[in-house]
Amino acid sequence: MTDPMIIAGGIASAPLVLETTKRLLGPTLDLLGDGIKNGLANRKSNISKVAARADAKADTSEPGAIPPRVAAEVFDKAQWADDEFVTEYLSGMLASARTPAGTDDSAVSWTALVGRMSADQLRLHYALYTALRAKVAGKKFDNISEWESKEVFVGYSDLRLIALGWDQEFFVERLVEAAVGLAREGLITQLGHGSSDFLARVWSPTRKKALPDGQFGFLVFTPTSAGSVLFLRAHGYRAHSGVLAEAELDVSYSGDPQDAPGAINSYWVEDLPPFNPPG
C-alpha cells in the first residue's frame, strides 16, 4: 500500500497542481496532505474500532492467537474503514482467524476480498445473506445444494427502505452495480434484475411467474458457498456454508443497531404462482 506520507510529500512538492488536486480529492486531501496528523489519528481510531469489534466476536475465554499475516492484512485495510460495514466485515475476518495454535491464515484471502469490495457491495451482501439466513435457519435439508441451488428474489423497495438506506437518487444504478460486483466475485450467481413485467416475461428463472405487488423492481439471484462463507466470516465464524442454516447461530450485527440492515422479505422463485397476463 502506498504510504500517505509519500502522497502528501508529492503534493507539497508540486504546488502548481495543488488546486487541481483539491478539486479532485475534496476533503480526502486533508487526510493525505495538510492534515496528515489528523489523518493518522483517524486511521488509528479505525484500527481500534475494528479490533474492538473483533474482540467482541471472538471467543477469548481460552488461549489463542491470530497469525501475523492476517493481522497485518486486516489492520492495513482497517486504516480506511470509515464505513460501518467495512468495519463489520474486517472485524469478522480478524475474529475468525483466532485459533488455539494461531497458525490458520486462511482469513488472508477473505480479507483481501473484503478489501477490494466497495461499501455498497458489502451492505448488499449482508442484506441478501441475512434474508437467506432467515429462510433456511433451523430447517432440515438433506444436502446444502437444496437451498444453494434455489433462486431467491427480493424487492427494490424493501432494499431501499429497509436494508440499505441509500439515497433515492441513483439507487437502482448503485444497487445493480453492487449486485454485479457480488456476481463477479462469485458471492452470488444467476443474477437478474428489473421490473416485475420484464422478469415475468423475459428472465428465464422467473418467466411466467407472478411476482408480488408493491415493488418497482426485483433482484433475483442464486446464493453460493462463497457468499455464505463470507457472511459467516463477517460474524467471526470459520465454518463451511452449511452452518448458515444452524438455528443457534448468532448472526447479530455487532455495531450500532441503527446501522444494521432490517429484515427484508425474500422469496424462493419456485414458490411463485404462475403469471397470467391480462387478456
Side-chain angles (χ1 to χ4, degrees), residues 10-215:
I11 293 172
S13 65
L16 294 179
V17 301
L18 182 58
E19 183 177 348
T20 301
T21 307
K22 282 184 176 180
R23 187 168 61 247
L24 176 65
L25 296 183
T28 297
L29 181 62
D30 293 333
L31 294 177
L32 303 180
D34 297 336
I36 194 67
K37 291 184 180 180
N38 291 334
L40 287 172
N42 185 66
R43 290 158 63 193
K44 290 179 181 178
S45 175
N46 287 342
I47 291 173
S48 296
K49 187 163 62 172
V50 167
R53 286 203 197 180
D55 181 67
K57 293 177 180 180
D59 180 8
T60 57
S61 61
E62 299 292 337
I66 294 172
R69 285 189 67 206
V70 176
E73 186 78 11
V74 170
F75 290 144
D76 177 58
K77 290 169 173 54
Q79 298 175 77
W80 310 103
D82 294 320
D83 183 90
E84 289 298 317
F85 277 81
V86 179
T87 298
E88 183 74 359
Y89 274 66
L90 288 176
S91 65
M93 300 307 112
L94 196 62
S96 68
R98 192 176 192 276
T99 62
T103 57
D104 181 358
D105 65 356
S106 58
V108 167
S109 61
W110 293 106
T111 304
L113 171 60
V114 171
R116 67 175 178 263
M117 292 174 68
S118 70
D120 283 359
Q121 290 168 0
L122 292 173
R123 284 173 179 266
L124 180 59
H125 176 266
Y126 198 99
L128 295 182
Y129 277 86
T130 297
L132 177 65
R133 158 71 182 171
K135 296 190 74 62
V136 303
K139 296 181 179 178
K140 299 297 183 183
F141 298 96
D142 293 330
N143 194 291
I144 298 172
S145 63
E146 286 186 46
W147 54 267
E148 282 194 341
S149 62
K150 288 185 177 184
E151 293 94 356
V152 183
F153 69 97
V154 294
Y156 286 176
S157 296
D158 286 340
L159 289 168
R160 182 178 66 184
L161 299 176
I162 300 174
L164 301 177
W166 295 337
D167 293 336
Q168 292 188 19
E169 186 177 14
F170 304 120
F171 170 80
V172 174
E173 290 86 346
R174 287 181 68 173
L175 174 64
V176 171
E177 183 175 5
V180 169
L182 297 187
R184 183 188 65 236
E185 298 291 354
L187 302 174
I188 60 175
T189 188
Q190 299 183 42
L191 172 64
H193 54 84
S195 67
S196 57
D197 180 69
F198 167 79
L199 293 172
R201 294 178 182 276
V202 179
W203 186 248
S204 178
T206 51
R207 181 182 291 173
K208 298 183 180 180
K209 295 283 190 177
L211 278 69
D213 296 327
Q215 304 283 342

Side-chain angles (χ1 to χ4, degrees), residues 204-262:
S204 178
T206 51
R207 181 182 291 173
K208 298 183 180 180
K209 295 283 190 177
L211 278 69
D213 296 327
Q215 304 283 342
F216 64 94
F218 291 91
L219 193 68
V220 186
F221 72 98
T222 300
T224 67
S225 293
S228 297
V229 171
L230 180 62
F231 184 76
L232 293 169
R233 285 274 183 173
H235 290 89
Y237 298 107
R238 188 177 60 259
H240 63 82
S241 60
V243 173
L244 189 70
E246 293 185 1
E248 66 276 10
L249 192 70
D250 181 7
V251 290
S252 55
Y253 181 72
S254 68
D256 188 332
Q258 292 184 343
D259 296 322

